[in-house]
Amino acid sequence: MIRAWFRLSLWKRVLLALVLGLVAGIALGEDAVSIKWIGDLFIRSIKMLVVPLIFFSLISGITAVGDIGRLGRVGGRALLIFMATALIAVSLGMTLAAIVQPGAHLSIELPVGSVVPSAPDQSLVAMIISLVPDNPIMAMAQGSILPVILFSVLLGIAILASGEEGAPLVKAMQAGSVVMQNMTILVMELTPFGVFALIAWVVGTFGFDALVPLAKLVALNYVGCAIILAIIYPLILRLVARLPVLDFYRGIIDAQAVAFSTASSNAALPVTLRCVERNLGVSNAVASFTVALGATINMNGTAMYLGVIALFGAQAYGTELNWMSYALIALTSTLGAIGAAGVPGSGLVMMSLVLSSIGVPLETIAFVAGINHILDMARTMTNVTGDAVVAVAVGRLAGELDVDEYVSADDI
Ligand code: ASP
């Protein structure tokens, strides 16, 4: 029995767990909360990896790229695809919401028990300032990912610039990165159990009833994510990377399952990195760099969602929108998607930035809060898949992707 379990490749075990979790959730109903601790245990153990993994991966990725000019080309391409896909995603969200009008004819009432997240200080200047850690160790201890990224990128560049004298650190960072990846393999064995418990809990707690009043909105978000996953990403894979699409999806399914069940790009990060390197054949340098960066700043599902909800709020409250408002939604949603941390619910918090820029009441947030988790699962899966797409595209363009590995059926 145990041997049969381990003989099954991990993604099959995860998929099985997902289906069993769904069944258990329906069977147990609200009692499913009693097994949620297994999911929490899984999330904690995977989150434990995030800060050291980002630190070592980014630095070893940067030093492995070798010289600053080449780093600029890899980084520049990655950032370009991050921005372009985010803009496409918001436009898609706005178009869908404009066609379907999920907020029209809704008499808004706040759902019982919903909590309005307090609007954080989201001015642009505050956002930029908070990127720079005044104490990198504290930023790591608090798990503030963007400042940790900035510090790691600068440290990586400084090590590169130090040439021979920096060489021992290059080795040390690469060793750290390999060790963290091996630690990831250990923790990933928990994935099926974590996914099972979390899916059972979500289905048991939220049930299908919670979805009915906002069914249109939920459906629209899922359709938006499906369009990104089934059309936009495949187009990038075919046109930019010139690679087959199905192999990509087979290689990335573990990361998608973890993203979907945890609603956290950070929690999925170790798994994404592993899938991109091991199953999709992207070099360690490009994978470490793009995936570690992408998990925090590349969020197409979130950008699409922000576009949908902005229009939803405007429709529900009868706020007039003009071309300027649409441009503002596109801009603030892209910034919101970059600024959102890869943790559950952070997209909801970014909503205040978008809504206040176009004068839609912030109460919209409370309205959406009740169904946020269900939406979060799909958009996080879309976000994480996008990180892998960018890693593959950049790896292919830079000649750092092993095509045999990409198309081979062997996986972890
Ligand atoms: N939970 C999402 C993520 O981690 C962010 C969001 O809330 O939109 O990717």
Side-chain angles (χ1 to χ4, degrees):
M1 175 82 177
I2 293 185
R3 211 175 287 153
W5 174 254
F6 282 108
R7 217 179 297 132
L8 221 54
S9 58
L10 187 61
W11 72 269
K12 289 185 188 136
R13 282 182 266 155
V14 170
L15 218 59
L16 190 69
L18 214 116
V19 176
L20 290 178
L22 194 83
V23 176
I26 295 171
L28 290 174
E30 297 203 339
D31 292 339
V33 75
S34 62
I35 55 167
K36 179 170 178 274
W37 66 271
I38 303 174
D40 293 340
L41 197 78
F42 166 62
I43 294 183
R44 282 182 78 97
S45 44
I46 214 161
K47 272 193 180 160
M48 154 181 92
L49 306 172
V50 169
V51 167
L53 195 72
I54 287 189
F55 180 76
F56 287 118
S57 297
L58 267 182
I59 298 178
S60 81
I62 288 173
T63 52
V65 171
D67 70 87
I68 308 249
R70 192 156 152 247
L71 179 68
R73 284 193 297 279
V74 171
R77 278 182 188 137
L79 289 178
L80 198 76
I81 310 182
F82 288 165
M83 296 298 279
T85 47
L87 276 175
I88 295 174
V90 198
S91 315
L92 171 71
M94 289 195 289
T95 311
L96 286 176
I99 297 172
V100 178
Q101 304 264 331
H105 318 299
L106 256 188
S107 56
I108 281 217
E109 263 173 60
L110 298 186
V112 188
S114 59
V115 189
V116 187
S118 57
D121 184 0
Q122 285 304 342
S123 79
L124 201 57
V125 176
M127 200 166 141
I128 293 171
I129 286 186
S130 67
L131 288 183
V132 183
D134 44 10
N135 177 344
I137 308 292
M138 189 149 74
M140 288 184 190
Q142 291 173 338
S144 317
I145 302 296
L146 274 176
V148 172
I149 288 183
L150 188 89
F151 178 73
S152 310
V153 169
L154 285 180
L155 188 60
I157 294 175
I159 294 177
L160 261 191
S162 308
E164 263 309 295
E165 282 176 294
L169 270 186
V170 172
K171 268 201 121 23
M173 294 298 165
Q174 256 144 21
S177 166
V178 171
V179 171
M180 285 312 299
Q181 291 191 25
N182 281 326
M183 202 165 156
T184 304
I185 300 179
L186 292 179
V187 172
M188 273 178 68
E189 288 300 327
L190 291 177
T191 313
F193 306 101
V195 166
F196 170 79
L198 290 171
I199 294 293
W201 169 68
V202 169
V203 173
T205 313
F206 292 87
F208 294 107
D209 301 347
L211 302 183
V212 175
L214 292 169
K216 244 187 189 176
L217 197 58
V218 177
L220 206 58
N221 269 279
Y222 271 74
V223 167
C225 288
I227 293 177
I228 297 178
L229 290 167
I231 300 175
I232 298 177
Y233 292 159
L235 278 178
I236 299 176
L237 290 169
R238 297 293 311 169
L239 301 180
V240 181
R242 297 181 188 282
L243 286 167
V245 175
L246 281 183
D247 296 295
F248 172 83
Y249 277 105
R250 203 188 45 216
I252 198 70
I253 191 164
D254 286 344
Q256 289 184 317
V258 176
F260 188 74
S261 52
T262 60
S264 164
S265 295
N266 283 355
L269 170 64
V271 190
T272 319
L273 197 56
R274 189 134 185 93
C275 289
V276 165
E277 271 191 48
R278 282 283 296 253
N279 299 350
L280 301 177
V282 178
S283 77
N284 173 267
V286 170
S288 314
F289 182 70
T290 47
V291 174
L293 200 62
T296 303
I297 66 173
N298 183 40
M299 296 197 177
N300 301 322
T302 303
M304 189 274 310
Y305 154 88
L306 290 173
V308 168
I309 306 289
L311 260 71
F312 166 80
Q315 289 157 3
Y317 283 101
T319 314
E320 288 286 325
L321 299 179
N322 53 28
W323 284 109
M324 187 64 194
S325 329
Y326 290 112
L328 275 173
I329 297 173
L331 180 74
T332 50
S333 299
T334 305
L335 287 177
I338 293 173
V343 296
S346 64
L348 186 75
V349 175
M350 285 297 155
M351 190 105 272
S352 57
L353 174 74
V354 183
L355 296 179
S356 53
S357 77
I358 50 166
V360 170
L362 291 186
E363 279 72 19
T364 310
I365 299 176
F367 197 53
V368 180
I371 50 161
N372 182 58
H373 194 74
I374 309 266
L375 306 183
D376 204 355
M377 293 163 73
R379 66 179 187 258
T380 306
M381 183 172 104
T382 312
N383 293 344
V384 164
T385 311
D387 302 334
V389 168
V390 177
V392 164
V394 172
R396 179 76 160 148
L397 292 177
E400 306 230 11
L401 183 144
D402 179 345
V403 179
D404 291 338
E405 183 97 47
Y406 182 96
V407 294
S408 82
D410 299 338
D411 41 28
I412 44 177

